[in-house]
Amino acid sequence: MKFFVRTYGCQMNVADSNEMSRHLKARGLVETQDPDEASVILVNTCTVRQHAEDRAFSEIGRLRRWKAKRAGRKVVVTGCAAERTKEYLQDRFPFLDLIAGAKSIENFGHMADQLLDRRETDEELDYAVPSIDDKVAAFVTIMRGCNYSCTYCIVPYVRGREIYHSTEQILGEVRDRVSEGAREITLLGQTVNSYRHNQYRFGDLLRAVAASEGVDRVRFISPHPYYMTDRVIEVMATVPQVCESLHLPVQSGSNTMLKAMARNYTREQYLARVENMRQAIWGMTLSTDIIVGFPGETEDDFRQTLSLIEQVQFDWGFIFKYSTREGTPAAHLECHPEALIEERHQRCLELVDRIALAKRSKLVGTIHEVLVEQDNFGRTRTNYKVRINGGEAQARQGAGLNGEAQARQGAASSNIAPGEIVRVRITNAQRATLEGELENGNITFENFR
Ligand code: 5AD
Ligand code: SF4
């Protein structure tokens, strides 16, 4: 029996989809990339902005015909929109077989049993079959939920309050992922750096994961500026496995807006953290999230956001138009006209893209360690995606010299083996995905880092 998964939204949802897939695989199902082949389709939804929810719902609507085409087909809807709109989904799409909201992820195994009509008891042992998740860069969820209540945000309502996985559980999952081929671990949580468990704080966990056998790289997403403490910065600066790249959502550059959003930091505090990090972590890339058009945002507030972007010089960023989420504290505030939000969105995008291009352009000619993920695509430590040109030919040549690489690569493939860390000289930085060539020279340092 085959299943197909469609995921909307953030990395947390991607990780949740992986976790649910593992539950299904452990019950003997096989994942397919072709919905026509599948007997089960799982749609993992997002509700952070209305647009994300609308897209998922129109896909779910189309699945009525898919389901009718073959007897026994099942449609499962999970995630944040499922949590928010359970009754509505049931009414609008009565053909759904299972609706499992984001809060019930940790219980998905039991739900899968019911869906597939399995008894839990004596079959439990079979479920211990290790599932194969051969991703070079793997995600490990360390906490769920969020204790903040940023006034625009639906997440605390659909994912609940923070719960932390135990350090033992996390290190166990890291070992599992490494044994399946992972070389890079990204720790995940809504405010990932607020993690604590017994005496462990986030910085301690970061160290422990970095010290795990087989882990070449560690990242984490998404940190909250408030918890970006000197201790965490020190770990980033001194533990070699922890990559020098950070996604640190700022949302706005105006103190009035930050206060209205209940973000728990000021512009000045954010800038001070950035300054500390830039001093301590050489060559770090920094990216961010910004919301434009929050209710009450004046032209002056907006310009402060632009000026913060100029000041920080983010390496890249995601700009979102404010979207009212029912039930959040900001929902009753009067919205700006769509045209104004659109105009600010454009201006902000232009600035962020201009800076991003200027920063990338400087990388041409520099040499980076790239962890190859698949098909000659990989990532630098600074988290740029890179396409390695000419990798096919060079991989063949190199394979003759390096038996281990050849073995890992497998005879049929002419690409560089996933999991290899290679040195790449950047040749083109026009697009967000850089291009580069293998650098075989005898260079013992990176001229960028
Ligand atoms: N409207 C627009 N953007 C939002 N985000 C969260 N909630 C909203 C909303 N209601 C953005 C924030 C967050 C990112 C994941 O989504 O920038 O960091
Ligand atoms: Fe939402 Fe704020 Fe929590 Fe992030 S920190 S998930 S923006 S409430």
Side-chain angles (χ1 to χ4, degrees):
M1 189 145 108
K2 295 188 176 174
F3 70 98
F4 173 87
V5 180
R6 167 87 74 213
T7 307
Y8 291 88
C10 63
Q11 299 294 359
M12 185 63 102
N13 259 18
V14 176
D16 286 350
S17 288
N18 288 342
E19 192 170 324
M20 292 186 285
S21 296
R22 278 195 287 276
H23 279 295
L24 295 175
K25 287 177 191 169
R27 284 157 179 78
L29 276 69
V30 176
E31 186 161 9
T32 172
Q33 304 304 322
D34 179 4
D36 282 341
E37 277 192 337
S39 305
V40 177
I41 287 190
L42 192 155
V43 184
N44 194 10
T45 60
C46 171
T47 185
V48 76
R49 285 168 294 277
Q50 189 60 44
H51 180 64
E53 193 172 284
D54 293 345
R55 278 172 51 222
F57 287 3
S58 66
E59 168 151 12
I60 295 166
R62 288 193 296 274
L63 289 177
R64 193 166 62 88
R65 288 189 57 197
W66 172 86
K67 185 173 165 160
K69 273 194 196 153
R70 203 193 299 158
R73 279 182 159 175
K74 293 184 193 297
V75 182
V76 179
V77 177
T78 62
C80 293
E83 185 71 48
R84 193 180 86 78
T85 65
K86 211 169 177 142
E87 286 86 30
Y88 170 79
L89 278 172
Q90 253 153 7
D91 282 356
R92 181 167 162 195
F93 308 112
F95 60 89
L96 296 181
D97 297 278
L98 173 63
I99 303 174
K103 282 180 189 162
S104 51
I105 279 277
E106 310 236 340
N107 201 22
F108 186 77
H110 295 289
M111 295 182 168
D113 283 327
Q114 282 170 1
L115 177 81
L116 302 167
D117 229 355
R118 304 278 165 89
R119 279 180 307 122
E120 290 167 37
T121 45
D122 31 311
E123 282 171 286
E124 194 78 46
L125 264 185
D126 295 344
Y127 299 168
V129 190
S131 62
I132 302 303
D133 185 355
D134 56 358
K135 300 233 168 44
V136 166
F139 294 104
V140 171
T141 302
I142 67 166
M143 62 167 310
R144 293 184 180 281
C146 179
N147 285 357
Y148 273 88
S149 35
C150 300
T151 53
Y152 51 80
C153 188
I154 191 80
V155 168
Y157 304 89
V158 291
R159 289 200 176 258
R161 310 264 310 159
E162 293 178 9
I163 56 150
Y164 312 100
H165 288 178
S166 75
T167 311
E168 299 77 45
Q169 181 185 344
I170 293 165
L171 293 175
E173 267 184 55
V174 168
R175 273 195 297 278
D176 287 350
R177 298 290 87 79
V178 167
S179 72
E180 293 161 3
R183 293 287 170 267
E184 175 178 305
I185 299 291
T186 301
L187 303 178
L188 271 185
Q190 234 71 51
T191 54
V192 71
N193 52 343
S194 72
Y195 176 86
R196 59 191 149 84
H197 189 259
N198 298 336
Q199 80 285 16
Y200 261 71
R201 294 288 179 273
F202 180 69
D204 307 317
L205 180 71
L206 210 47
R207 263 185 216 282
V209 171
S212 300
E213 199 171 332
V215 173
D216 292 328
R217 291 179 168 188
V218 184
R219 308 182 189 279
F220 53 93
I221 193 165
S222 276
H224 189 285
Y226 182 81
Y227 294 101
M228 211 55 224
T229 58
D230 289 347
R231 226 168 129 185
V232 176
I233 295 174
E234 193 207 321
V235 176
M236 286 188 78
T238 56
V239 177
Q241 290 87 348
V242 182
C243 292
E244 52 277 24
S245 177
L246 195 72
H247 182 70
L248 193 64
V250 66
Q251 313 300 0
S252 171
S254 147
N255 280 334
T256 318
M257 287 300 105
L258 289 172
K259 196 157 190 191
M261 292 173 169
R263 285 294 291 173
N264 199 26
Y265 54 83
T266 61
R267 172 192 177 100
E268 292 72 25
Q269 284 166 333
Y270 184 91
L271 289 172
R273 290 271 202 256
V274 168
E275 185 56 28
N276 289 348
M277 288 188 288
R278 287 246 159 96
Q279 295 278 333
I281 309 161
W282 193 50
M284 181 186 70
T285 50
L286 189 66
S287 54
T288 200
D289 288 344
I290 283 167
I291 299 177
V292 296
F294 185 81
E297 183 189 72
T298 63
E299 174 64 22
D300 185 58
D301 290 318
F302 175 64
R303 284 195 186 158
Q304 295 205 34
T305 297
L306 297 182
S307 96
L308 181 130
I309 295 168
E310 284 276 10
Q311 202 169 331
V312 174
Q313 296 278 304
F314 291 106
D315 295 272
W316 60 89
F318 302 95
I319 320 300
F320 302 108
K321 294 189 261 186
Y322 172 71
S323 167
T324 306
R325 308 311 291 133
E326 210 181 298
T328 59
H332 67 277
L333 301 174
E334 197 184 328
C335 278
H336 284 300
E338 182 58 31
L340 182 129
I341 299 182
E342 183 61 48
E343 187 239 4
R344 287 183 185 168
H345 186 241
Q346 273 308 319
R347 284 160 70 194
C348 199
L349 266 183
E350 271 164 33
L351 177 62
V352 167
D353 287 350
R354 176 162 63 69
I355 295 171
L357 178 63
K359 293 210 123 192
R360 291 201 304 269
S361 302
K362 288 195 190 140
L363 299 179
V364 173
T366 61
I367 294 162
H368 295 255
E369 277 179 19
V370 172
L371 173 61
V372 180
E373 292 178 13
Q374 60 174 344
D375 303 330
N376 288 336
F377 282 92
R379 276 173 197 277
T380 66
R381 289 178 54 99
T382 47
N383 216 5
Y384 281 103
K385 194 170 177 189
V386 184
R387 197 201 128 75
I388 307 165
N389 291 324
E392 304 85 353
Q394 300 206 34
R396 272 196 295 275
Q397 265 176 25
L401 302 169
N402 181 344
E404 195 199 350
Q406 191 175 28
R408 278 160 76 176
Q409 190 177 316
S413 159
S414 62
N415 288 340
I416 309 168
E420 294 281 311
I421 292 182
V422 293
R423 304 167 66 72
V424 173
R425 181 187 291 275
I426 303 304
T427 53
N428 186 347
Q430 286 301 309
R431 292 166 188 280
T433 299
L434 307 177
E435 288 179 53
E437 285 168 2
L438 279 185
E439 173 67 42
N440 291 325
N442 210 4
I443 293 166
T444 52
F445 61 91
E446 287 186 58
N447 55 3
F448 175 67
R449 286 184 48 219

